[in-house]
Amino acid sequence: MNDDEKYMERCVALAKLGAGFVAPNPMVGAVLVFENRIIGEGYHQRYGEAHAEVNCISDAAIKYTADKAYSSFDVVLQKSILYVSLEPCAHFGKTPPCADLIISKKIPEIVIGCRDPFKEVNGKGIEKLLTAGITVRVGVKEELCKALNKRFFTFHTQKRPYIILKWAQSADLKIARKDSRVFITNDITNRVVHKWRSEEASILAGTNTAMIDDPSLTNRLWSGSNPVRLVLDMNLRLSASLKLFDGLVSTIVFNAHKQEEAGNIMHYKISVHLPLARQIADALYLLNIQSVLVEGGSKLIQAFISENLWDEARIITNEELIIGEGIAAPALSAADYLSSEKILSDTIRHYQSGIITT
């Protein structure tokens, strides 16, 4: 591994510290290198607040100790290289453009992991830096940097949210009994699932799951923000007394009858005559929701599989539980196995879609 790759991997490690706090912005990390050593580090910590480049330069300024060989910190900046995992922004959003800051500090060289696909940036930051005479190198650990923000990239390049399918099944491949709730996963696995929820922008459940299980669909067993709750209820059969409608978390009800919003509850109208998963994905794009964890039931998950609209699948199998007569688990198609992990009686298997969707 060369120095460029080493510094970019550090950018990615820093960026991950912002997981769960910066969406819908991407996670970004930056390091400032002077005479082959890191003198400043930073990452985007919270949505609406300073970006990675700002925090990195501020960190370097705080740590700076006068060096007799250089007259000031500004001179040090003019002899440094800035590494950043994603192209610096060139537009005014919640904060001023980072490209302008880099230019004003006269940093002579910047190494960028990957280009930003967001239409307000998408090459404009790189162009602005080059026009200012800064040396720009793009594509160091590019695939790693893209994977870091797979939700962000999917949203802006495919015009849909990043879609994760999740279900728990018994050893005989059932996800539930037909008319009563059954607990499949153990307490530790449940905490893992709540961690997953905290990492996504939204979570989706079907009518029967909501009716039988009465889930909260929050990440109460983990820290971080709750996802937006989504429920499919085409014929508006769900009772207002369900936990989903407690008003504590923003909730969207996909249905075939009405479009309205009251407090924290939105009813979003879709058609019974068009593909279900595609309509939900299109709606989430319009609502600026970048990712969704689809938790069931079986028919709903299978709709996403059948329409080839998914990116990851996380399947939890209780290797000891036998349900017998019950609801069959979904069946993946065109899936690539990634990994598995064992948590007591549960095995979690991870897959990615083997189909490139558009």
Side-chain angles (χ1 to χ4, degrees), residues 190-308:
N190 284 341
R191 288 183 61 82
V192 172
V193 171
H194 282 237
K195 178 178 181 293
W196 293 345
R197 291 178 178 181
S198 74
E199 295 167 346
E200 307 309 328
S202 65
I203 181 171
L204 173 63
T207 308
N208 289 336
T209 299
M211 192 178 295
I212 295 171
D213 293 353
D214 189 17
S216 297
L217 295 185
T218 62
N219 53 286
R220 60 196 177 278
L221 301 180
W222 200 264
S223 60
S225 301
N226 287 307
V228 175
R229 299 185 294 204
L230 314 172
V231 62
L232 180 68
D233 185 18
M234 294 299 283
N235 294 312
L236 299 176
R237 296 189 292 129
L238 295 178
S239 168
S241 65
L242 293 175
K243 294 172 185 174
L244 283 171
F245 304 121
D246 58 17
L248 298 177
V249 180
S250 294
T251 302
I252 300 171
V253 183
F254 292 105
N255 71 98
H257 298 280
K258 63 181 180 179
Q259 179 88 26
E260 66 179 32
E261 189 168 1
N264 247 0
I265 310 295
M266 171 190 285
H267 284 80
Y268 196 105
K269 188 176 180 180
I270 59 177
S271 173
V272 296
H273 304 295
L274 296 174
L276 177 65
R278 172 52 67 181
Q279 289 187 86
I280 293 174
D282 288 346
L284 295 181
Y285 178 75
L286 293 174
L287 293 166
N288 199 31
I289 294 175
Q290 289 189 3
S291 66
V292 57
L293 180 64
V294 184
E295 286 209 3
S298 186
K299 288 183 180 179
L300 179 58
I301 292 175
Q302 199 65 56
F304 280 87
I305 296 170
S306 298
E307 294 179 40
N308 298 325

Side-chain angles (χ1 to χ4, degrees), residues 42-273:
Y43 66 97
H44 186 27
Q45 298 179 12
R46 192 172 295 276
Y47 176 70
E49 297 182 3
H51 289 185
E53 299 92 327
V54 177
N55 289 331
C56 178
I57 293 170
S58 296
D59 179 61
I62 292 169
K63 293 177 178 175
Y64 174 70
T65 301
D67 189 319
K68 293 180 181 179
Y70 303 99
S71 58
S72 69
F73 178 62
D74 287 341
V75 174
V76 170
L77 287 179
Q78 293 165 24
K79 295 179 179 293
S80 296
I81 302 174
L82 180 66
Y83 289 78
V84 60
S85 57
L86 187 70
E87 175 183 4
C89 60
H91 67 295
F92 282 89
K94 295 286 185 181
T95 60
C98 291
D100 288 359
L101 173 68
I102 295 164
I103 293 168
S104 71
K105 295 298 184 182
K106 298 181 181 180
I107 297 172
E109 184 174 356
I110 181 169
V111 181
I112 299 168
C114 61
R115 187 165 166 157
D116 188 334
F118 180 46
K119 64 181 180 179
E120 296 296 332
V121 186
N122 200 4
K124 296 183 179 70
I126 293 169
E127 182 181 359
K128 181 176 278 193
L129 294 168
L130 288 170
T131 300
I134 294 173
T135 299
V136 180
R137 291 186 285 128
V138 184
V140 174
K141 303 296 287 188
E142 183 173 17
E143 292 307 312
L144 178 67
C145 292
K146 286 182 176 180
L148 168 70
N149 286 302
K150 54 193 176 184
R151 296 159 181 81
F152 181 79
F153 272 81
T154 297
F155 188 81
H156 289 288
T157 61
Q158 298 190 35
K159 310 301 181 187
R160 66 165 178 82
Y162 190 84
I163 300 168
I164 302 171
L165 310 180
K166 171 262 168 183
W167 70 87
Q169 62 189 18
S170 61
D172 58 344
L173 306 184
K174 300 294 192 303
I175 66 166
R177 298 190 176 97
K178 288 188 176 180
D179 55 3
S180 63
R181 188 174 189 181
V182 58
F183 294 95
I184 294 177
T185 55
N186 62 57
D187 290 345
I188 299 175
T189 304
N190 284 341
R191 288 183 61 82
V192 172
V193 171
H194 282 237
K195 178 178 181 293
W196 293 345
R197 291 178 178 181
S198 74
E199 295 167 346
E200 307 309 328
S202 65
I203 181 171
L204 173 63
T207 308
N208 289 336
T209 299
M211 192 178 295
I212 295 171
D213 293 353
D214 189 17
S216 297
L217 295 185
T218 62
N219 53 286
R220 60 196 177 278
L221 301 180
W222 200 264
S223 60
S225 301
N226 287 307
V228 175
R229 299 185 294 204
L230 314 172
V231 62
L232 180 68
D233 185 18
M234 294 299 283
N235 294 312
L236 299 176
R237 296 189 292 129
L238 295 178
S239 168
S241 65
L242 293 175
K243 294 172 185 174
L244 283 171
F245 304 121
D246 58 17
L248 298 177
V249 180
S250 294
T251 302
I252 300 171
V253 183
F254 292 105
N255 71 98
H257 298 280
K258 63 181 180 179
Q259 179 88 26
E260 66 179 32
E261 189 168 1
N264 247 0
I265 310 295
M266 171 190 285
H267 284 80
Y268 196 105
K269 188 176 180 180
I270 59 177
S271 173
V272 296
H273 304 295

Side-chain angles (χ1 to χ4, degrees), residues 299-324:
K299 288 183 180 179
L300 179 58
I301 292 175
Q302 199 65 56
F304 280 87
I305 296 170
S306 298
E307 294 179 40
N308 298 325
L309 269 177
W310 64 282
D311 299 287
E312 290 182 36
R314 302 169 184 175
I315 305 173
I316 306 167
T317 305
N318 184 323
E319 307 289 358
E320 299 174 359
L321 176 66
I322 301 294
I323 289 180

